[in-house]
Amino acid sequence: MTENIATPVEINEPIHYDPGTIEPRWQQYWQLNKIYEADFGSKKEKFYCLVEFPYPSGAGLHVGHARSYASMDAFVRYKRMKGFNALYPMGWDAFGLPAENYAIKVGIHPSKTVAENIAHFKVQCQSLGLSFDWSREINTTDPAYYRQTQWIFLRLLKEGLAYRNEVSVNWCPTCRTNLADEEVLADGMHERCGNPTEKRSQTQWLLRITKYAQRLLDDLKLVDYSDKIRVQQENWIGRKEGITIKFKISAQGSDVIEAFTTRPDTMFGATFIVLAPEHYLVERIMKGEVKVDAKTSREIKAYVASSRSKTEIDRNSKGRKKTGVFTGLFGLNNLNGKLLPIWISDFVLSHFGTGAVVGVPGHDQRDFEFAKQFGLPITRVVVGPDGDTSEITELVQVQEEAGKMVNSDFLDGLEIREAINKMTDHLEAKGFGKRTVTFHLRDWVFSRQHYWGEPIPVVHCPQCGVVPVPEKDLPVELPFVEKYEPSGTGESPLAKIATWVNTACPVCSAPAKRETDTMPNWAGSNWYYLGYLLADKLGNSKSQNDPGVAQDDVILASEARPESTSDTNIFSTTKNLINHWMPVDIYEGGFEHTTLHLLYSRFIYKFLFDLGVVPGPEPYAKRRSHGIVLGPDGRKMSKSFGNVINPDEIVKQYGSDTLRLYEMFMGPFEQSVSWSDSSLQGCYRFLTRVNRLTLKNVTNEETPKELLIALQAVIKKVGEDIEALKFNTAVAILMEFINGWENNNLKYEDAETFLRLLAPFAPHLAEELRHKLLISTGWDADSRGSIHLLSWPVYDPELLKQDRVFIVVQVNGKLRDRFEIEAGADERSVTAAAKALPKVKKYLSNEHLKIIFVPGKLINFVVTD
């Protein structure tokens, strides 16, 4: 096997590391030989790895994409070498606001900008040597794809989970569209454009995600999510147990206000009620349905108008002076017969609880601030552990867990927890309230007043109302329009296309109009993990996906008509395929999508599970998120800061293997890290050394025992670290190993083993060097196939259990020598042996020594004055 190997290997090529020549050659080889395509007929154990498919923006891939894609690519390559039938697909989340905003910015139709951007993204992915299975490529703007997105919507509609309602929505004046709660950041800014949002009332399509709130919460126990991901989902779903209490409005007949609270024990301390400006009673007052005097009516209308122009962050900012207006109405506290004045204040939000708050200013900070501002009574009903029963003039402590009830009638003397239970029972028994479980989660606002999205497949008939488009007529295709800018009037640009809007009712054939709102960014990504599995069965149209499609050949969405099919529920015909591949084994993506896409797609998958078309309740068995890559200055990368790193420039200068390796080496995968040019160059130097050592320090003689043992340790640790997504430490031990290789030769087989370990991280160089080694031995390199199809090395546990070990000897942290000694030797024995070494002894003339000893590995003599 090794008889033709010279000592060292002779290669009639320069040793210079030239990624610009190496990488395109192997990328073409991999593509032509389709070595990364999953075998859908294989009986091997499957491994489905998913990374979030990108919005194909004009900026192209950034280093954050590269960190995610390259790291998981290394994981998938490792899994293939471990014998798994691995699926690692890629596609394009090409509908939605980002694509439309970019098209508006450059003045080119989104169908063309999307095609151009996809072509650019794909070239970038391929230049990084990412082992995506391009035979599974999908595009959410392909009618063959969004036919199924529309089918899912129709089934949601049929099951009562899609509905229309006039609701208070988040409105982005900059983008001129409404937003779901999840698309508004904590500071009230639009998560896409970064500008302030405001509230407005509008008729929208919504999805009843709240029907799945408890299941979305409970089923987090079924999956392996990072703690911070799980906690953020739990907090966003926001389950609370409490009681909804009714307060009859004095002099208003049967009208009542309902308020939810988790602290009914404090109701004897209630002194007022506060409504959100969006509360239904406020709307009735402004419409004149609930009578107040003319002056109060004017004040309410002015206050509500002012409140709705503020962001939520403004309304809830800590320390902000409380504002409000008294309605002149009172609510009856059934516990003591007191009338509570009803106010309106913008610190109360309509989508939290019932939009009404019972003010207990003695034991709630916001209520206290409001009462002080407007001179309302403050009553103590809880005495804390300090025993203070004095009048409350400043709210120093809010008693939540410890305390006893006072001034509370039949609750006096009870501990808080006991009082809560007794009061809840009392209110329910008297019919004044009802035990309630509430969630922070709200129904998902699903419609957008934009052009670039999936048409909602319903028509509006004057006689029949909202009528679903028959499944056989799907997809309802997005028409081509010249003017696609958002109107800002509350209507989609589609409303202006009479030839498309005007149609016939599928039920009665009377004139009807199509729905002109489109679906949101997230519609196509709710099921795309299934789309990859069905890509060859969707009948994808001539490609917007193909970077080779010329500009003049780009197919607009309106022209990309797939062949019709009688069975639009493709899920029913591919059930065995879906059952085999689902759930996704690991899903990696941005932490910012935890309460957006991740939550939405879990909901849709559960719905599909209820329909019987998927095998389990959860789409992703495991979820991890990578930390963002900050600029060299430690700030988030931004053109305005001038700190953006262009991955294309890095590939051009150093090669994609260097970029890949650095993205994994730069720090723990789930932590944010700052870009460092010096560390990047260090990775390039490492690959240059590997190139030189492989071509010069390989022999047919046995590898020195110490180096062979070290290689076994590397095999063990690299495999364990990849499994744990500890890519940085896996790379680190590879770097450490070549220090020992520098002054020694590796036997051919051992050099190939090292290259296999390197292959997931630097696939091009590993392929190139193994190829050269094969040529040097006289073998036919082509007949041996790709290094990425070889098996993963298996370490020899016996070699790692050697009777003797090598100890590194340092003086003040600098390597001075190393020696062999019996495994398990104690510190005393190692110290004596190390001090006797000539290369060490001369540095130890000073007897003031501090000794750092790592058993079986290292001893460091720290010489002090």
Side-chain angles (χ1 to χ4, degrees), residues 45-75:
E45 185 176 353
K46 67 95 177 177
F47 179 73
Y48 187 178
C49 179
L50 188 66
V51 288
E52 290 176 347
F53 62 167
Y55 307 112
S57 69
L61 290 176
H62 53 68
V63 291
H65 288 122
R67 189 180 193 201
S68 169
Y69 296 172
S71 299
M72 299 316 294
D73 185 68
F75 194 17

Side-chain angles (χ1 to χ4, degrees), residues 731-749:
V731 173
I733 196 170
L734 291 172
M735 291 178 169
E736 180 182 332
F737 175 78
I738 69 167
N739 292 328
W741 188 5
E742 189 73 50
N743 298 314
N744 294 281
N745 290 328
L746 282 179
K747 189 176 181 179
Y748 166 77
E749 289 88 349

Side-chain angles (χ1 to χ4, degrees), residues 96-134:
L97 197 57
E100 184 170 300
N101 282 350
Y102 176 76
I104 292 171
K105 179 181 177 181
V106 299
I108 302 174
H109 198 276
S111 64
K112 295 183 179 180
T113 58
V114 162
E116 292 170 352
N117 294 343
I118 285 175
H120 179 53
F121 266 68
K122 187 169 182 179
V123 167
Q124 287 183 300
C125 287
Q126 292 173 334
S127 74
L128 289 175
L130 300 170
S131 62
F132 290 133
D133 181 349
W134 291 108

